[in-house]
Amino acid sequence: MTATSDTTIIVWDLKGEVLTTIDTHHINNNHAAVSNCGRFIASCGFTPDVKLWEVVFNRSNEFTEVRRAMELKGHSASVYYFSFNLDSTRMATVSKDGTWKLWDTDVEYMKQQDPYLLRTGSFNHTEPSRICLSYDSHSIAIATHANIYVFNAEEGVLDHEYHDVHALPITSIAFSPSSYYLVSSGDRHIQVFHNITGYKANIAEMEKKLVKATSNTVKDRLNLQLKTEREKLESIGVNGSA
């Protein structure tokens, strides 16, 4: 998939043949991407929404079409950027209106069911920003200029911030597939951070499951996982409690 700064997205096959062309109707595109699961194509731009299309294949795994799936509506100004979690059940967006939003996209869009807005947060910005949702949906990172702000996605609160991590504006930001690391690029360097917010969120989630667990087998497994997560957090100099 390629996208231009006007309103065009071109979908290609691996041989370099054009499969289809999409007009996003954003006036201009800010960002476009294929979801991590490969099921969706999404775009955002000058308009205050994010549009999603489903990439459809037949039973022989042959491409058939790209069809409109859903829209994320709720921002009041241009959407700078968006991000998918691992299985596309969650998305995060960041906008010129000074807010970020977390969405539940695990909906029956073929039945006209709209995505659910789960959470809205605010952030300080003076220029276009990038957002990244961790693969496990526990953490949200926003990069604006040379600064990074990391939020707990469940609570919507700012948990960590890193200033002047690059000499020039940040060009890309991403979580590792394990969600344990956060990576940023800018100038000639790549910076790697421990995702402390993610560690804490994992521990909090396991503690909630432990309270609800009734089976000793499940309790033993959760206690072992909690011990491992706390040890990982303590190994980087952070208290292992959530």
Side-chain angles (χ1 to χ4, degrees):
M1 184 214 73
T2 56
T4 57
S5 59
D6 52 17
T7 62
T8 304
I9 292 176
I10 302 175
V11 183
W12 310 76
D13 66 14
L14 295 180
K15 296 179 181 179
E17 299 293 330
V18 175
L19 296 176
T20 190
T21 300
I22 300 169
D23 185 348
T24 65
H25 298 287
H26 284 309
I27 301 178
N28 63 265
N29 294 330
N30 288 336
H31 178 56
V34 179
S35 64
N36 294 311
C37 67
R39 185 178 178 183
F40 299 105
I41 290 172
S43 68
C44 65
F46 183 79
T47 56
D49 56 0
V50 176
K51 296 182 172 70
L52 284 85
W53 294 263
E54 182 184 10
V55 183
V56 183
F57 295 86
N58 61 23
R59 292 183 179 180
S60 301
N61 205 31
E62 297 172 332
F63 172 82
T64 58
E65 64 174 330
V66 171
R67 63 189 177 201
R68 191 70 164 267
M70 51 187 145
E71 295 184 10
L72 308 181
K73 296 181 177 181
H75 287 291
S76 60
S78 172
V79 178
Y80 289 141
Y81 216 79
F82 61 83
S83 178
F84 291 93
N85 71 344
L86 181 61
D87 60 2
S88 303
T89 57
R90 296 287 186 274
M91 287 184 69
T93 57
V94 65
S95 169
K96 187 178 180 180
D97 64 16
T99 68
W100 60 264
K101 295 181 183 293
L102 178 66
W103 307 83
D104 178 354
T105 48
D106 188 18
V107 298
E108 296 184 88
Y109 51 87
M110 294 296 290
K111 296 181 180 179
Q112 310 304 314
Q113 185 178 9
D114 294 324
Y116 297 102
L117 176 61
L118 298 175
R119 199 152 291 104
T120 297
S122 60
F123 71 104
N124 295 321
H125 78 296
T126 56
E127 58 186 80
S129 306
R130 295 173 180 269
I131 194 168
C132 188
L133 176 63
S134 62
Y135 282 62
D136 60 12
S137 305
H138 288 163
S139 310
I140 291 174
I142 295 176
T144 178
H145 190 60
N147 306 318
I148 298 173
Y149 304 90
V150 186
F151 295 82
N152 179 303
E154 176 67 24
E155 299 174 357
V157 297
L158 178 63
D159 193 56
H160 278 80
E161 51 187 291
Y162 307 93
H163 295 277
D164 300 321
V165 297
H166 293 281
L168 297 173
I170 293 170
T171 55
S172 185
I173 187 170
F175 286 100
S176 66
S178 67
S179 298
Y180 287 134
Y181 299 98
L182 174 65
V183 182
S184 67
S185 65
D187 48 61
R188 297 181 179 180
H189 301 88
I190 293 175
Q191 301 282 8
V192 181
F193 305 86
H194 289 287
N195 181 20
I196 297 172
T197 302
Y199 278 106
K200 290 180 178 179
N202 284 340
I203 291 171
E205 183 179 61
M206 290 177 192
E207 288 177 338
K208 289 178 182 178
K209 290 180 179 179
L210 185 59
V211 171
K212 297 178 181 179
T214 56
S215 164
N216 287 332
T217 302
V218 174
K219 290 180 179 180
D220 290 343
R221 176 173 54 81
L222 287 170
N223 277 317
L224 180 60
Q225 291 174 339
L226 273 167
K227 182 175 181 292
T228 301
E229 289 296 300
R230 286 168 176 155
E231 287 175 348
K232 287 179 181 178
L233 199 52
E234 289 168 359
S235 72
I236 57 176
V238 180
N239 190 298
S241 62

mmCIF file of all heavy atoms in Angstrom, residues 82-125:
data_model
loop_
_atom_site.group_PDB
_atom_site.id
_atom_site.type_symbol
_atom_site.label_atom_id
_atom_site.label_comp_id
_atom_site.label_asym_id
_atom_site.label_seq_id
_atom_site.Cartn_x
_atom_site.Cartn_y
_atom_site.Cartn_z
ATOM 1 N N PHE A 82 -2.781 7.743 13.636
ATOM 2 C CA PHE A 82 -3.541 6.687 14.311
ATOM 3 C C PHE A 82 -2.656 5.461 14.449
ATOM 4 O O PHE A 82 -1.593 5.357 13.840
ATOM 5 C CB PHE A 82 -4.819 6.338 13.532
ATOM 6 C CG PHE A 82 -4.553 5.827 12.149
ATOM 7 C CD1 PHE A 82 -4.230 4.499 11.910
ATOM 8 C CD2 PHE A 82 -4.609 6.700 11.058
ATOM 9 C CE1 PHE A 82 -3.964 4.031 10.642
ATOM 10 C CE2 PHE A 82 -4.349 6.238 9.771
ATOM 11 C CZ PHE A 82 -4.019 4.898 9.569
ATOM 12 N N SER A 83 -3.124 4.508 15.255
ATOM 13 C CA SER A 83 -2.347 3.286 15.471
ATOM 14 C C SER A 83 -3.284 2.138 15.824
ATOM 15 O O SER A 83 -4.296 2.338 16.500
ATOM 16 C CB SER A 83 -1.333 3.503 16.603
ATOM 17 O OG SER A 83 -0.595 2.324 16.868
ATOM 18 N N PHE A 84 -2.940 0.933 15.349
ATOM 19 C CA PHE A 84 -3.695 -0.284 15.660
ATOM 20 C C PHE A 84 -2.997 -1.077 16.759
ATOM 21 O O PHE A 84 -1.778 -1.032 16.890
ATOM 22 C CB PHE A 84 -3.748 -1.212 14.437
ATOM 23 C CG PHE A 84 -4.560 -0.730 13.283
ATOM 24 C CD1 PHE A 84 -3.982 -0.009 12.245
ATOM 25 C CD2 PHE A 84 -5.918 -1.030 13.203
ATOM 26 C CE1 PHE A 84 -4.724 0.409 11.154
ATOM 27 C CE2 PHE A 84 -6.680 -0.626 12.116
ATOM 28 C CZ PHE A 84 -6.077 0.104 11.084
ATOM 29 N N ASN A 85 -3.775 -1.852 17.512
ATOM 30 C CA ASN A 85 -3.159 -2.867 18.361
ATOM 31 C C ASN A 85 -2.902 -4.112 17.504
ATOM 32 O O ASN A 85 -3.029 -4.070 16.270
ATOM 33 C CB ASN A 85 -4.017 -3.176 19.589
ATOM 34 C CG ASN A 85 -5.299 -3.936 19.250
ATOM 35 O OD1 ASN A 85 -5.731 -4.002 18.092
ATOM 36 N ND2 ASN A 85 -5.917 -4.512 20.261
ATOM 37 N N LEU A 86 -2.542 -5.232 18.118
ATOM 38 C CA LEU A 86 -2.120 -6.401 17.356
ATOM 39 C C LEU A 86 -3.219 -6.969 16.465
ATOM 40 O O LEU A 86 -2.986 -7.273 15.287
ATOM 41 C CB LEU A 86 -1.609 -7.495 18.305
ATOM 42 C CG LEU A 86 -1.109 -8.775 17.639
ATOM 43 C CD1 LEU A 86 0.061 -8.487 16.713
ATOM 44 C CD2 LEU A 86 -0.710 -9.804 18.697
ATOM 45 N N ASP A 87 -4.438 -7.115 17.007
ATOM 46 C CA ASP A 87 -5.501 -7.775 16.255
ATOM 47 C C ASP A 87 -6.572 -6.813 15.737
ATOM 48 O O ASP A 87 -7.656 -7.249 15.314
ATOM 49 C CB ASP A 87 -6.149 -8.876 17.092
ATOM 50 C CG ASP A 87 -6.771 -8.345 18.385
ATOM 51 O OD1 ASP A 87 -6.740 -7.120 18.608
ATOM 52 O OD2 ASP A 87 -7.270 -9.167 19.182
ATOM 53 N N SER A 88 -6.282 -5.520 15.776
ATOM 54 C CA SER A 88 -7.175 -4.478 15.245
ATOM 55 C C SER A 88 -8.492 -4.345 16.011
ATOM 56 O O SER A 88 -9.458 -3.792 15.490
ATOM 57 C CB SER A 88 -7.483 -4.724 13.755
ATOM 58 O OG SER A 88 -6.294 -4.778 13.009
ATOM 59 N N THR A 89 -8.536 -4.819 17.244
ATOM 60 C CA THR A 89 -9.731 -4.646 18.074
ATOM 61 C C THR A 89 -9.720 -3.305 18.805
ATOM 62 O O THR A 89 -10.727 -2.899 19.388
ATOM 63 C CB THR A 89 -9.865 -5.770 19.104
ATOM 64 O OG1 THR A 89 -8.683 -5.806 19.917
ATOM 65 C CG2 THR A 89 -10.049 -7.116 18.418
ATOM 66 N N ARG A 90 -8.573 -2.644 18.806
ATOM 67 C CA ARG A 90 -8.429 -1.328 19.407
ATOM 68 C C ARG A 90 -7.639 -0.424 18.466
ATOM 69 O O ARG A 90 -6.749 -0.893 17.739
ATOM 70 C CB ARG A 90 -7.703 -1.390 20.753
ATOM 71 C CG ARG A 90 -8.440 -2.163 21.836
ATOM 72 C CD ARG A 90 -9.634 -1.405 22.359
ATOM 73 N NE ARG A 90 -10.254 -2.088 23.496
ATOM 74 C CZ ARG A 90 -11.172 -3.040 23.395
ATOM 75 N NH1 ARG A 90 -11.565 -3.447 22.196
ATOM 76 N NH2 ARG A 90 -11.705 -3.597 24.474
ATOM 77 N N MET A 91 -7.965 0.869 18.501
ATOM 78 C CA MET A 91 -7.195 1.867 17.761
ATOM 79 C C MET A 91 -7.031 3.110 18.621
ATOM 80 O O MET A 91 -7.869 3.396 19.482
ATOM 81 C CB MET A 91 -7.881 2.240 16.450
ATOM 82 C CG MET A 91 -7.806 1.184 15.370
ATOM 83 S SD MET A 91 -8.528 1.740 13.796
ATOM 84 C CE MET A 91 -7.326 3.006 13.287
ATOM 85 N N ALA A 92 -5.948 3.820 18.386
ATOM 86 C CA ALA A 92 -5.705 5.094 19.063
ATOM 87 C C ALA A 92 -5.501 6.173 18.007
ATOM 88 O O ALA A 92 -4.906 5.914 16.959
ATOM 89 C CB ALA A 92 -4.481 5.001 19.966
ATOM 90 N N THR A 93 -6.020 7.356 18.285
ATOM 91 C CA THR A 93 -5.897 8.472 17.347
ATOM 92 C C THR A 93 -5.410 9.716 18.090
ATOM 93 O O THR A 93 -5.656 9.871 19.290
ATOM 94 C CB THR A 93 -7.247 8.781 16.676
ATOM 95 O OG1 THR A 93 -8.241 9.067 17.691
ATOM 96 C CG2 THR A 93 -7.720 7.601 15.846
ATOM 97 N N VAL A 94 -4.751 10.605 17.362
ATOM 98 C CA VAL A 94 -4.292 11.860 17.956
ATOM 99 C C VAL A 94 -4.596 12.988 16.970
ATOM 100 O O VAL A 94 -4.455 12.814 15.749
ATOM 101 C CB VAL A 94 -2.790 11.806 18.303
ATOM 102 C CG1 VAL A 94 -1.921 11.681 17.056
ATOM 103 C CG2 VAL A 94 -2.370 12.997 19.139
ATOM 104 N N SER A 95 -5.028 14.119 17.504
ATOM 105 C CA SER A 95 -5.581 15.165 16.652
ATOM 106 C C SER A 95 -5.028 16.551 16.960
ATOM 107 O O SER A 95 -4.499 16.815 18.048
ATOM 108 C CB SER A 95 -7.110 15.179 16.805
ATOM 109 O OG SER A 95 -7.699 16.320 16.218
ATOM 110 N N LYS A 96 -5.212 17.422 15.992
ATOM 111 C CA LYS A 96 -4.857 18.832 16.151
ATOM 112 C C LYS A 96 -5.690 19.493 17.237
ATOM 113 O O LYS A 96 -5.320 20.555 17.756
ATOM 114 C CB LYS A 96 -5.070 19.557 14.813
ATOM 115 C CG LYS A 96 -4.583 20.986 14.773
ATOM 116 C CD LYS A 96 -4.791 21.595 13.397
ATOM 117 C CE LYS A 96 -4.291 23.033 13.346
ATOM 118 N NZ LYS A 96 -4.487 23.634 11.997
ATOM 119 N N ASP A 97 -6.810 18.887 17.627
ATOM 120 C CA ASP A 97 -7.661 19.473 18.673
ATOM 121 C C ASP A 97 -7.062 19.313 20.073
ATOM 122 O O ASP A 97 -7.651 19.740 21.062
ATOM 123 C CB ASP A 97 -9.089 18.902 18.625
ATOM 124 C CG ASP A 97 -9.156 17.395 18.919
ATOM 125 O OD1 ASP A 97 -8.180 16.829 19.440
ATOM 126 O OD2 ASP A 97 -10.201 16.789 18.608
ATOM 127 N N GLY A 98 -5.866 18.670 20.160
ATOM 128 C CA GLY A 98 -5.181 18.537 21.443
ATOM 129 C C GLY A 98 -5.591 17.338 22.251
ATOM 130 O O GLY A 98 -5.257 17.237 23.430
ATOM 131 N N THR A 99 -6.312 16.400 21.621
ATOM 132 C CA THR A 99 -6.739 15.205 22.341
ATOM 133 C C THR A 99 -6.259 13.939 21.635
ATOM 134 O O THR A 99 -5.984 13.944 20.441
ATOM 135 C CB THR A 99 -8.274 15.124 22.468
ATOM 136 O OG1 THR A 99 -8.857 14.900 21.171
ATOM 137 C CG2 THR A 99 -8.836 16.390 23.077
ATOM 138 N N TRP A 100 -6.171 12.873 22.425
ATOM 139 C CA TRP A 100 -6.009 11.538 21.863
ATOM 140 C C TRP A 100 -7.219 10.716 22.276
ATOM 141 O O TRP A 100 -7.858 11.003 23.285
ATOM 142 C CB TRP A 100 -4.707 10.875 22.335
ATOM 143 C CG TRP A 100 -4.573 10.690 23.831
ATOM 144 C CD1 TRP A 100 -3.923 11.516 24.706
ATOM 145 C CD2 TRP A 100 -5.094 9.603 24.621
ATOM 146 N NE1 TRP A 100 -4.015 11.024 25.992
ATOM 147 C CE2 TRP A 100 -4.722 9.855 25.970
ATOM 148 C CE3 TRP A 100 -5.832 8.454 24.331
ATOM 149 C CZ2 TRP A 100 -5.070 8.971 27.009
ATOM 150 C CZ3 TRP A 100 -6.183 7.586 25.368
ATOM 151 C CH2 TRP A 100 -5.787 7.865 26.686
ATOM 152 N N LYS A 101 -7.546 9.712 21.487
ATOM 153 C CA LYS A 101 -8.714 8.892 21.762
ATOM 154 C C LYS A 101 -8.378 7.415 21.573
ATOM 155 O O LYS A 101 -7.602 7.056 20.687
ATOM 156 C CB LYS A 101 -9.898 9.282 20.859
ATOM 157 C CG LYS A 101 -10.414 10.697 21.105
ATOM 158 C CD LYS A 101 -11.592 11.039 20.203
ATOM 159 C CE LYS A 101 -12.043 12.481 20.406
ATOM 160 N NZ LYS A 101 -12.617 12.716 21.740
ATOM 161 N N LEU A 102 -8.982 6.592 22.426
ATOM 162 C CA LEU A 102 -8.852 5.136 22.325
ATOM 163 C C LEU A 102 -10.208 4.576 21.919
ATOM 164 O O LEU A 102 -11.227 4.917 22.516
ATOM 165 C CB LEU A 102 -8.415 4.542 23.658
ATOM 166 C CG LEU A 102 -8.275 3.014 23.706
ATOM 167 C CD1 LEU A 102 -7.137 2.540 22.801
ATOM 168 C CD2 LEU A 102 -8.035 2.546 25.141
ATOM 169 N N TRP A 103 -10.214 3.704 20.908
ATOM 170 C CA TRP A 103 -11.448 3.201 20.323
ATOM 171 C C TRP A 103 -11.528 1.687 20.404
ATOM 172 O O TRP A 103 -10.527 0.996 20.251
ATOM 173 C CB TRP A 103 -11.534 3.598 18.851
ATOM 174 C CG TRP A 103 -11.364 5.054 18.564
ATOM 175 C CD1 TRP A 103 -10.181 5.735 18.436
ATOM 176 C CD2 TRP A 103 -12.395 6.020 18.367
ATOM 177 N NE1 TRP A 103 -10.412 7.044 18.171
ATOM 178 C CE2 TRP A 103 -11.765 7.264 18.115
ATOM 179 C CE3 TRP A 103 -13.790 5.947 18.363
ATOM 180 C CZ2 TRP A 103 -12.489 8.427 17.868
ATOM 181 C CZ3 TRP A 103 -14.509 7.105 18.117
ATOM 182 C CH2 TRP A 103 -13.867 8.327 17.873
ATOM 183 N N ASP A 104 -12.752 1.187 20.597
ATOM 184 C CA ASP A 104 -13.048 -0.234 20.464
ATOM 185 C C ASP A 104 -13.529 -0.449 19.032
ATOM 186 O O ASP A 104 -14.624 -0.013 18.663
ATOM 187 C CB ASP A 104 -14.133 -0.642 21.469
ATOM 188 C CG ASP A 104 -14.526 -2.113 21.361
ATOM 189 O OD1 ASP A 104 -14.043 -2.803 20.438
ATOM 190 O OD2 ASP A 104 -15.323 -2.558 22.201
ATOM 191 N N THR A 105 -12.731 -1.118 18.219
ATOM 192 C CA THR A 105 -13.075 -1.354 16.818
ATOM 193 C C THR A 105 -13.496 -2.799 16.568
ATOM 194 O O THR A 105 -13.623 -3.229 15.422
ATOM 195 C CB THR A 105 -11.892 -0.988 15.908
ATOM 196 O OG1 THR A 105 -10.685 -1.577 16.422
ATOM 197 C CG2 THR A 105 -11.693 0.519 15.853
ATOM 198 N N ASP A 106 -13.708 -3.533 17.654
ATOM 199 C CA ASP A 106 -14.156 -4.923 17.543
ATOM 200 C C ASP A 106 -15.673 -4.935 17.437
ATOM 201 O O ASP A 106 -16.383 -5.336 18.366
ATOM 202 C CB ASP A 106 -13.684 -5.723 18.760
ATOM 203 C CG ASP A 106 -13.956 -7.216 18.619
ATOM 204 O OD1 ASP A 106 -14.181 -7.675 17.486
ATOM 205 O OD2 ASP A 106 -13.948 -7.915 19.651
ATOM 206 N N VAL A 107 -16.176 -4.461 16.295
ATOM 207 C CA VAL A 107 -17.610 -4.280 16.101
ATOM 208 C C VAL A 107 -18.068 -4.996 14.831
ATOM 209 O O VAL A 107 -17.264 -5.354 13.976
ATOM 210 C CB VAL A 107 -17.983 -2.785 16.019
ATOM 211 C CG1 VAL A 107 -17.640 -2.078 17.318
ATOM 212 C CG2 VAL A 107 -17.275 -2.118 14.836
ATOM 213 N N GLU A 108 -19.385 -5.180 14.708
ATOM 214 C CA GLU A 108 -19.971 -5.796 13.520
ATOM 215 C C GLU A 108 -20.291 -4.703 12.497
ATOM 216 O O GLU A 108 -21.435 -4.301 12.319
ATOM 217 C CB GLU A 108 -21.231 -6.577 13.896
ATOM 218 C CG GLU A 108 -20.957 -7.759 14.813
ATOM 219 C CD GLU A 108 -22.218 -8.576 15.094
ATOM 220 O OE1 GLU A 108 -22.501 -9.492 14.309
ATOM 221 O OE2 GLU A 108 -22.894 -8.271 16.095
ATOM 222 N N TYR A 109 -19.245 -4.230 11.844
ATOM 223 C CA TYR A 109 -19.406 -3.105 10.921
ATOM 224 C C TYR A 109 -20.258 -3.477 9.702
ATOM 225 O O TYR A 109 -20.873 -2.603 9.087
ATOM 226 C CB TYR A 109 -18.049 -2.553 10.483
ATOM 227 C CG TYR A 109 -17.089 -3.595 9.961
ATOM 228 C CD1 TYR A 109 -17.094 -3.987 8.631
ATOM 229 C CD2 TYR A 109 -16.167 -4.185 10.811
ATOM 230 C CE1 TYR A 109 -16.221 -4.951 8.161
ATOM 231 C CE2 TYR A 109 -15.283 -5.145 10.348
ATOM 232 C CZ TYR A 109 -15.313 -5.520 9.019
ATOM 233 O OH TYR A 109 -14.442 -6.472 8.558
ATOM 234 N N MET A 110 -20.319 -4.765 9.356
ATOM 235 C CA MET A 110 -21.169 -5.174 8.236
ATOM 236 C C MET A 110 -22.644 -4.981 8.579
ATOM 237 O O MET A 110 -23.489 -4.933 7.698
ATOM 238 C CB MET A 110 -20.901 -6.634 7.882
ATOM 239 C CG MET A 110 -19.510 -6.892 7.327
ATOM 240 S SD MET A 110 -19.225 -6.043 5.752
ATOM 241 C CE MET A 110 -20.294 -6.987 4.675
ATOM 242 N N LYS A 111 -22.934 -4.873 9.879
ATOM 243 C CA LYS A 111 -24.299 -4.600 10.333
ATOM 244 C C LYS A 111 -24.456 -3.134 10.735
ATOM 245 O O LYS A 111 -25.350 -2.772 11.501
ATOM 246 C CB LYS A 111 -24.652 -5.505 11.510
ATOM 247 C CG LYS A 111 -24.678 -6.985 11.158
ATOM 248 C CD LYS A 111 -25.061 -7.826 12.379
ATOM 249 C CE LYS A 111 -25.078 -9.312 12.032
ATOM 250 N NZ LYS A 111 -25.435 -10.150 13.214
ATOM 251 N N GLN A 112 -23.534 -2.295 10.252
ATOM 252 C CA GLN A 112 -23.564 -0.849 10.488
ATOM 253 C C GLN A 112 -23.307 -0.465 11.938
ATOM 254 O O GLN A 112 -23.701 0.614 12.383
ATOM 255 C CB GLN A 112 -24.903 -0.245 10.030
ATOM 256 C CG GLN A 112 -25.315 -0.625 8.625
ATOM 257 C CD GLN A 112 -24.279 -0.283 7.572
ATOM 258 O OE1 GLN A 112 -23.740 0.805 7.574
ATOM 259 N NE2 GLN A 112 -23.973 -1.236 6.696
ATOM 260 N N GLN A 113 -22.662 -1.360 12.702
ATOM 261 C CA GLN A 113 -22.323 -1.024 14.084
ATOM 262 C C GLN A 113 -21.086 -0.136 14.091
ATOM 263 O O GLN A 113 -20.076 -0.450 13.454
ATOM 264 C CB GLN A 113 -22.056 -2.293 14.889
ATOM 265 C CG GLN A 113 -21.827 -2.036 16.370
ATOM 266 C CD GLN A 113 -21.621 -3.315 17.155
ATOM 267 O OE1 GLN A 113 -21.486 -4.402 16.592
ATOM 268 N NE2 GLN A 113 -21.598 -3.200 18.472
ATOM 269 N N ASP A 114 -21.164 0.980 14.797
ATOM 270 C CA ASP A 114 -20.060 1.939 14.836
ATOM 271 C C ASP A 114 -19.058 1.586 15.933
ATOM 272 O O ASP A 114 -19.420 0.993 16.953
ATOM 273 C CB ASP A 114 -20.592 3.353 15.090
ATOM 274 C CG ASP A 114 -21.433 3.873 13.934
ATOM 275 O OD1 ASP A 114 -21.096 3.552 12.779
ATOM 276 O OD2 ASP A 114 -22.416 4.591 14.203
ATOM 277 N N PRO A 115 -17.797 1.974 15.741
ATOM 278 C CA PRO A 115 -16.792 1.784 16.803
ATOM 279 C C PRO A 115 -17.200 2.557 18.050
ATOM 280 O O PRO A 115 -17.889 3.578 17.982
ATOM 281 C CB PRO A 115 -15.519 2.366 16.180
ATOM 282 C CG PRO A 115 -15.757 2.329 14.710
ATOM 283 C CD PRO A 115 -17.216 2.559 14.522
ATOM 284 N N TYR A 116 -16.744 2.068 19.206
ATOM 285 C CA TYR A 116 -17.054 2.709 20.479
ATOM 286 C C TYR A 116 -15.867 3.534 20.946
ATOM 287 O O TYR A 116 -14.726 3.069 20.934
ATOM 288 C CB TYR A 116 -17.377 1.669 21.553
ATOM 289 C CG TYR A 116 -18.598 0.827 21.262
ATOM 290 C CD1 TYR A 116 -18.458 -0.469 20.786
ATOM 291 C CD2 TYR A 116 -19.883 1.325 21.455
ATOM 292 C CE1 TYR A 116 -19.574 -1.254 20.513
ATOM 293 C CE2 TYR A 116 -21.012 0.550 21.192
ATOM 294 C CZ TYR A 116 -20.843 -0.744 20.718
ATOM 295 O OH TYR A 116 -21.946 -1.513 20.448
ATOM 296 N N LEU A 117 -16.140 4.747 21.383
ATOM 297 C CA LEU A 117 -15.096 5.572 21.991
ATOM 298 C C LEU A 117 -14.925 5.128 23.441
ATOM 299 O O LEU A 117 -15.867 5.204 24.237
ATOM 300 C CB LEU A 117 -15.483 7.054 21.933
ATOM 301 C CG LEU A 117 -14.508 8.019 22.619
ATOM 302 C CD1 LEU A 117 -13.126 7.951 21.980
ATOM 303 C CD2 LEU A 117 -15.058 9.442 22.561
ATOM 304 N N LEU A 118 -13.742 4.664 23.790
ATOM 305 C CA LEU A 118 -13.482 4.164 25.138
ATOM 306 C C LEU A 118 -12.918 5.236 26.055
ATOM 307 O O LEU A 118 -13.227 5.273 27.249
ATOM 308 C CB LEU A 118 -12.494 2.988 25.076
ATOM 309 C CG LEU A 118 -12.955 1.756 24.302
ATOM 310 C CD1 LEU A 118 -11.822 0.742 24.235
ATOM 311 C CD2 LEU A 118 -14.184 1.144 24.961
ATOM 312 N N ARG A 119 -12.075 6.107 25.490
ATOM 313 C CA ARG A 119 -11.369 7.049 26.365
ATOM 314 C C ARG A 119 -10.854 8.237 25.564
ATOM 315 O O ARG A 119 -10.463 8.095 24.406
ATOM 316 C CB ARG A 119 -10.202 6.338 27.043
ATOM 317 C CG ARG A 119 -9.658 7.005 28.300
ATOM 318 C CD ARG A 119 -9.051 5.957 29.202
ATOM 319 N NE ARG A 119 -10.096 5.089 29.766
ATOM 320 C CZ ARG A 119 -10.333 3.859 29.352
ATOM 321 N NH1 ARG A 119 -9.626 3.333 28.379
ATOM 322 N NH2 ARG A 119 -11.293 3.156 29.924
ATOM 323 N N THR A 120 -10.846 9.404 26.199
ATOM 324 C CA THR A 120 -10.265 10.606 25.594
ATOM 325 C C THR A 120 -9.282 11.217 26.576
ATOM 326 O O THR A 120 -9.575 11.337 27.763
ATOM 327 C CB THR A 120 -11.358 11.640 25.251
ATOM 328 O OG1 THR A 120 -12.253 11.086 24.278
ATOM 329 C CG2 THR A 120 -10.731 12.907 24.677
ATOM 330 N N GLY A 121 -8.118 11.597 26.085
ATOM 331 C CA GLY A 121 -7.107 12.252 26.911
ATOM 332 C C GLY A 121 -6.581 13.482 26.209
ATOM 333 O O GLY A 121 -6.808 13.684 25.013
ATOM 334 N N SER A 122 -5.889 14.320 26.944
ATOM 335 C CA SER A 122 -5.309 15.535 26.365
ATOM 336 C C SER A 122 -3.789 15.494 26.481
ATOM 337 O O SER A 122 -3.235 14.739 27.289
ATOM 338 C CB SER A 122 -5.858 16.781 27.075
ATOM 339 O OG SER A 122 -5.540 16.741 28.453
ATOM 340 N N PHE A 123 -3.113 16.287 25.669
ATOM 341 C CA PHE A 123 -1.664 16.341 25.688
ATOM 342 C C PHE A 123 -1.210 17.703 25.202
ATOM 343 O O PHE A 123 -1.951 18.420 24.529
ATOM 344 C CB PHE A 123 -1.074 15.227 24.813
ATOM 345 C CG PHE A 123 -1.265 15.455 23.334
ATOM 346 C CD1 PHE A 123 -0.217 15.873 22.529
ATOM 347 C CD2 PHE A 123 -2.510 15.250 22.741
ATOM 348 C CE1 PHE A 123 -0.397 16.095 21.177
ATOM 349 C CE2 PHE A 123 -2.692 15.457 21.385
ATOM 350 C CZ PHE A 123 -1.638 15.883 20.597
ATOM 351 N N ASN A 124 0.007 18.070 25.553
ATOM 352 C CA ASN A 124 0.568 19.348 25.115
ATOM 353 C C ASN A 124 1.247 19.161 23.766
ATOM 354 O O ASN A 124 2.074 18.270 23.593
ATOM 355 C CB ASN A 124 1.592 19.860 26.141
ATOM 356 C CG ASN A 124 0.948 20.197 27.461
ATOM 357 O OD1 ASN A 124 -0.156 20.744 27.499
ATOM 358 N ND2 ASN A 124 1.623 19.882 28.563
ATOM 359 N N HIS A 125 0.898 19.995 22.822
ATOM 360 C CA HIS A 125 1.545 19.897 21.517
ATOM 361 C C HIS A 125 1.564 21.261 20.846
ATOM 362 O O HIS A 125 0.710 22.115 21.096
ATOM 363 C CB HIS A 125 0.821 18.884 20.627
ATOM 364 C CG HIS A 125 -0.441 19.420 20.012
ATOM 365 N ND1 HIS A 125 -1.528 19.792 20.757
ATOM 366 C CD2 HIS A 125 -0.769 19.639 18.712
ATOM 367 C CE1 HIS A 125 -2.480 20.216 19.946
ATOM 368 N NE2 HIS A 125 -2.057 20.138 18.705
#
